Amino acid sequence: MNLKSILTLFCLIICLRAGAQKSEISHVVTHSRATIICDPGGKGENPYPAWSVFPKADYPIRKVTMHVTLGSPDGLLTAHWDYLDHIVLRRKGGAHGQVLNYELGRMLTPYGSIYNKGWSWKWQVDVTDFAPFLRDSVEIVYVHSGYEDKTVGWALTIDFEILSGPPVVTPLGITTLWNKAYKYGDPKEKIEENLLPISYELISGAALSRIRMQHTGHGMDKPRGCSEFCSRWRELVLDGKVVDRRDMWKKCGNNPLYPQGGTWIFDRAYWCPGDLQQPDVIDVFTKPGSHKVSLQMEPYTATENIQAVENISAYLFHYSAPTQKIDVAVESIMVPSDEQRFSRLNPASSGPHISFRNLGADPIRSLTIVYGTDGFPSKTFHWKGNLPFNKVAEVVLPGEIQEKDGENVFNVMLIQPNGKKDAWSADNEMKAVFTAPEKFPSEFVLQFLTNKQPKDNSIFLVNAQQDTVFQKTASQLAAVTLYTDTIRLSAGTHSLHLIDTAGNGLQFWAQPKNGDGYLRLFDMKGNLIHAFESDCGNGEMFSFKVVPGFEVDSTIARYAFSMFPRSVVDQTQLSVVSNKLSDMTVQITVDGIVWQKHEYKSVKNAVFSYDLKHLPTGRIIVEAFMDGISKFKGRINKGR
């Protein structure tokens, strides 16, 4: 870009900032660290209602994002099981108001037994479709399912983030479609007998039918393990035309929340443990008059243990046509970011990764993106494509990510969509806080111990220009072999990637036949400076900034642990590698009760064996405290 173009662009940005529309962000917190537990002696559901005051009916709402946080509870252990929870808008207008029972979100709880006090995780989902009902006095209910003992639970926070501004489409009404757990594969009650076509009349003034659906499969039948562990297709049909078809299956090995204390890596029926499900949203522009919508599932009949259900809630929203022709909004900054949901992508050395949504009637075919870190020169990128209404585009932007040490702020601005002025510029900008990669020496030693399935793994090291400077591919690896390599790098940011194509990491407790592997980094004096998580599903990335002459502070304790096997009958081993001597305490507990406690003095590099024959069968937790601080917590499953 020449100087004249840069000056013109700069002036345009200043003008856009000066004339930008104003927007406010407000928050309504309905549940604030509410302790939620199961009802094991009842129906397996425990509702947690809360009344809150939302904006008045005449308040202009642009967007509503529901943030859901689960954390370790006060006074209880963290719950373990992956239960299906519903977040429901029960009623509005006070205790005697209209009962609605609209499902806003669907939480699949994580396996939390390995999480300590102070742990929490935050998810989010767009619930703007329900904005007409999130007005005045509203009752929000979190329905927690399951049969765990009342000694375990979660700390729940639900926070509605409300962005003011003109609506993208005018809401005119809602039609409830399906809202039930439907039997699947049952020869006595076929699902097509319950998922009957629904006729509706398009409300006057409406031009868009939006179908929003939450759908998960549960149960474990034969022969296919439906519905939790079987892939099956689903079709949505409107007026005789298939408008959406998808396989109801989700890969779980890339979950940002890892590791977990159970079978978190196992792919499932459109959900994963530890996830706030994102709804399917299907937009169909429809003409006035009568219409018919139907849902069809892949035909299937179970033969044994018939228990599969398809849990579905679906709503049809009647909307006007988009209110503006040209309207885009920044959806997210994925890289660089400190947000938990993007933790697998960060920190990163290069390639800022953003997404934006088209909120206007016209397809977006061109766009200028201005981006950069506070305190550094901005960069520009000219995007071209063909983005229809309400669709999202993800863009990896060119260049290195510039940063100062510690905390930084990254900025993105969208300008000139289709070469024109955006209809609402208040959502064209976004900021993300991110932490710079840690400093690292230019020389270090890489140790890679393969497990029994080395064909699943590879590692590669890239610089900020994305040049591969070191690699070990699957074809180069032998089983149960320790590879030790001295790495010498030039100054700059680098990223080390561990890849697992099978999605089960270098070790997984429920698959002991795959063995135990690790990836660790040491300085030239033999001090541990970084350890990858072996229970990492699809893999893990570590970015760092090489500074010639830099030495990692060896007085700061760093630890690497390995416990194997974790599916046991009689005994297991726990190994610890550290860069300093520490006093170590190991506690072995069952359902929160300590069965064994072991004390060790001045531990640095050691292997310890534990006899578990006298412990009960089931889930066992092994926790290691180094100088009084919990540094490792792992799950064992003991059989007979």
Side-chain angles (χ1 to χ4, degrees):
M1 181 179 287
N2 59 37
L3 180 60
K4 182 178 179 181
S5 299
I6 294 174
L7 291 174
T8 301
L9 181 61
F10 179 75
C11 292
L12 178 62
I13 293 172
I14 296 299
C15 292
L16 283 172
R17 285 185 182 274
Q21 294 100 329
K22 299 295 183 180
S23 187
E24 295 180 349
I25 295 177
S26 57
H27 290 263
V28 176
V29 178
T30 61
H31 299 69
S32 180
R33 283 194 59 80
T35 300
I36 63 171
I37 59 175
C38 292
D39 181 21
K43 297 180 179 180
E45 285 190 347
N46 225 358
Y48 290 86
W51 284 94
S52 293
V53 179
F54 284 79
K56 294 185 178 300
D58 59 354
Y59 184 82
I61 291 181
R62 178 75 166 178
K63 184 177 183 179
V64 184
T65 304
M66 182 173 68
H67 300 270
V68 180
T69 302
L70 291 179
S72 56
D74 300 324
L76 298 174
L77 295 173
T78 309
H80 176 71
W81 285 102
D82 55 331
Y83 287 131
L84 167 64
D85 293 354
H86 303 275
I87 304 168
V88 179
L89 194 165
R90 178 181 285 172
R91 74 183 83 195
K92 68 182 293 288
H96 301 290
Q98 180 185 4
V99 176
L100 300 172
N101 284 331
Y102 295 149
E103 184 175 9
L104 300 179
R106 184 169 294 194
M107 184 76 229
L108 290 310
T109 58
Y111 294 101
S113 60
I114 62 173
Y115 301 141
N116 285 321
K117 294 297 179 185
W119 173 89
S120 68
W121 194 273
K122 183 167 75 172
W123 300 263
Q124 69 179 55
V125 63
D126 188 326
V127 294
T128 309
D129 290 320
F130 298 97
F133 309 100
L134 295 170
R135 304 287 186 164
D136 300 312
S137 183
V138 177
E139 184 183 28
I140 302 296
V141 184
Y142 187 95
V143 183
H144 183 43
S145 69
Y147 295 90
E148 281 193 285
D149 190 86
K150 293 183 179 181
T151 58
V152 300
W154 302 100
L156 166 72
T157 298
I158 302 178
D159 176 4
F160 291 86
E161 179 184 292
I162 301 170
L163 176 69
S164 69
V168 174
V169 286
T170 304
L172 299 171
I174 183 174
T175 299
T176 299
L177 299 178
W178 307 279
N179 193 3
K180 188 180 176 182
Y182 300 93
K183 292 184 178 181
Y184 184 59
D186 189 337
K188 297 180 180 179
E189 186 178 337
K190 296 184 178 181
I191 194 167
E192 58 266 27
E193 297 172 352
N194 292 315
L195 289 178
L196 299 177
I198 296 174
S199 298
Y200 70 97
E201 191 79 18
L202 197 66
I203 293 175
S204 177
L208 173 67
S209 295
R210 171 171 294 169
I211 299 164
R212 178 189 178 101
M213 195 180 316
Q214 308 272 181
H215 185 171
T216 51
H218 306 273
M220 186 69 173
D221 68 14
K222 292 182 180 180
R224 290 178 53 191
C226 289
S227 276
E228 182 170 348
F229 292 107
C230 74
S231 176
R232 62 265 181 259
W233 56 258
R234 183 195 73 197
E235 287 184 344
L236 181 66
V237 181
L238 183 61
D239 295 335
K241 179 182 178 181
V242 176
V243 295
D244 184 76
R245 179 187 168 104
R246 61 187 70 205
D247 289 325
M248 305 302 294
W249 193 243
K250 186 171 182 178
K251 298 286 188 179
C252 294
N254 208 36
N255 194 332
L257 174 51
Y258 76 97
Q260 298 179 34
T263 56
W264 69 274
I265 67 166
F266 289 173
D267 304 334
R268 282 173 168 84
Y270 218 49
W271 61 275
C272 294
D275 189 29
L276 180 67
Q277 187 190 51
Q278 299 301 305
D280 297 325
V281 176
I282 299 98
D283 285 345
V284 183
F285 288 95
T286 42
K287 296 179 181 179
S290 299
H291 301 274
K292 183 178 289 187
V293 60
S294 63
L295 195 64
Q296 298 176 1
M297 293 293 301
E298 177 181 338
Y300 169 65
T301 302
T303 57
E304 296 181 59
N305 199 34
I306 299 170
Q307 57 172 245
V309 295
E310 301 290 329
N311 197 305
I312 303 170
S313 67
Y315 308 95
L316 189 145
F317 295 87
H318 302 251
Y319 284 121
S320 71
T323 59
Q324 303 295 334
K325 287 188 174 182
I326 304 295
D327 192 357
V328 296
V330 182
E331 188 79 359
S332 64
I333 299 174
M334 291 170 272
V335 176
S337 174
D338 281 349
E339 284 193 64
Q340 287 176 309
R341 59 184 175 138
F342 302 131
S343 58
R344 280 190 178 267
L345 306 175
N346 291 282
S349 58
S350 62
H353 191 173
I354 72 160
S355 64
F356 62 88
R357 187 182 295 271
N358 178 17
L359 301 177
D362 291 353
I364 298 300
R365 294 186 171 88
S366 65
L367 183 71
T368 296
I369 304 172
V370 182
Y371 61 100
T373 305
D374 279 0
F376 296 89
S378 296
K379 302 173 185 178
T380 61
F381 178 76
H382 300 289
W383 177 88
K384 291 186 178 181
N386 188 1
L387 187 66
F389 169 73
N390 204 39
K391 297 298 183 182
V392 175
E394 291 190 11
V395 182
V396 177
L397 300 165
E400 296 183 34
I401 296 171
Q402 297 173 297
E403 81 284 319
K404 59 180 175 60
D405 292 347
E407 186 175 282
N408 294 265
V409 176
F410 189 82
N411 299 276
V412 170
M413 180 190 297
L414 310 179
I415 61 175
Q416 290 286 284
N418 289 354
K420 300 177 181 179
K421 182 180 178 180
D422 191 280
W424 181 254
S425 59
D427 53 11
N428 287 19
E429 294 185 58
M430 183 175 285
K431 297 178 181 292
V433 175
F434 74 97
T435 303
E438 64 181 82
K439 294 180 180 179
F440 227 60
S442 56
E443 288 187 302
F444 59 89
V445 175
L446 181 151
Q447 285 191 1
F448 180 31
L449 175 65
T450 60
N451 62 16
K452 295 179 180 179
Q453 299 293 328
K455 68 180 187 305
D456 299 337
N457 300 125
S458 61
I459 56 175
F460 61 95
L461 178 64
V462 299
N463 58 22
Q465 293 75 41
Q466 298 301 295
D467 300 320
T468 300
V469 296
F470 174 82
Q471 67 178 343
K472 284 193 179 296
T473 63
S475 62
Q476 297 173 306
L477 301 175
V480 196
T481 301
L482 178 63
Y483 294 90
T484 301
D485 293 274
T486 300
I487 309 296
R488 296 178 176 85
L489 300 174
S490 57
T493 310
H494 295 72
S495 296
L496 179 61
H497 299 256
L498 167 66
I499 304 296
D500 190 286
T501 57
N504 56 6
L506 296 177
Q507 188 211 93
F508 184 59
W509 69 269
Q511 297 175 337
K513 67 180 185 304
N514 291 340
D516 180 26
Y518 62 76
L519 178 58
R520 297 168 183 168
L521 308 179
F522 300 83
D523 66 16
M524 300 306 290
K525 298 177 182 177
N527 296 308
L528 177 72
I529 51 179
H530 183 78
F532 277 61
E533 170 60 56
S534 292
D535 185 6
C536 59
N538 286 2
E540 192 170 79
M541 179 192 73
F542 172 59
S543 290
F544 52 91
K545 187 174 184 179
V546 169
V547 178
F550 177 78
E551 293 187 10
V552 177
D553 188 350
S554 59
T555 64
I556 298 175
R558 292 175 176 82
Y559 304 101
F561 296 90
S562 177
M563 184 169 65
F564 187 81
R566 298 197 193 194
S567 183
V568 303
V569 173
D570 50 8
Q571 65 177 13
T572 190
Q573 286 189 330
L574 177 67
S575 67
V576 57
V577 173
S578 178
N579 62 332
K580 67 183 292 289
L581 294 172
S582 302
D583 290 342
M584 177 177 174
T585 301
V586 174
Q587 283 189 175
I588 301 177
T589 62
V590 180
D591 295 330
I593 299 173
V594 177
W595 281 69
Q596 293 184 21
K597 188 174 182 178
H598 306 269
E599 304 278 358
Y600 308 96
K601 294 291 185 181
S602 302
V603 174
K604 187 175 182 181
N605 301 325
V607 179
F608 304 96
S609 296
Y610 299 103
D611 187 347
L612 308 175
K613 287 193 291 291
H614 68 288
L615 269 67
T617 59
R619 186 176 63 252
I620 298 170
I621 301 299
V622 177
E623 187 169 9
F625 298 83
M626 309 303 289
D627 292 329
I629 300 172
S630 178
K631 291 295 183 179
F632 171 81
K633 199 172 184 181
R635 177 245 175 94
I636 285 176
N637 195 69
K638 183 175 182 290
R640 296 183 185 278

